[in-house]
Amino acid sequence: MAGLEHYKLAQDPAFVRLSNMTSNRYKYFRWTPRTARITFAYAIVVPAIVGYIAYKTDGKYDFRAKRRGDDMREF
């Protein structure tokens, strides 16, 4: 049992920098036209599309008490 530090691993400097960057990302964020477009798309456009599809198909499909050969659509 020679040596006391067998449990330590050498850390890759690139991984250490990546870890520091991801934990401190809020400090370096800036609003640019690109980040504004991406934020708009994920905060407004995607939920609007999902909501529209949910609204149009509301009550159209009924999966309860169906047997083989029955149609899933109600209308």
Side-chain angles (χ1 to χ4, degrees):
M1 302 285 164
L4 298 174
E5 299 188 18
H6 289 293
Y7 59 90
K8 290 193 176 183
L9 294 174
Q11 294 181 342
D12 187 3
F15 287 135
V16 172
R17 276 184 284 154
L18 178 67
S19 173
N20 290 335
M21 183 189 67
T22 53
S23 63
N24 297 320
R25 186 178 303 259
Y26 69 96
K27 295 177 184 176
Y28 303 107
F29 179 78
R30 289 192 181 175
W31 283 106
T32 61
R34 180 178 183 268
T35 57
R37 280 192 307 269
I38 291 171
T39 303
F40 179 76
Y42 282 116
I44 296 172
V45 174
V46 172
I49 292 171
V50 171
Y52 176 76
I53 292 171
Y55 178 75
K56 292 306 263 184
T57 61
D58 186 32
K60 191 171 187 178
Y61 299 105
D62 185 19
F63 295 109
R64 297 192 66 179
K66 295 294 180 182
R67 298 193 184 258
R68 189 181 316 184
D70 289 345
D71 194 16
M72 286 190 313
R73 289 180 284 170
E74 292 295 317
F75 56 90

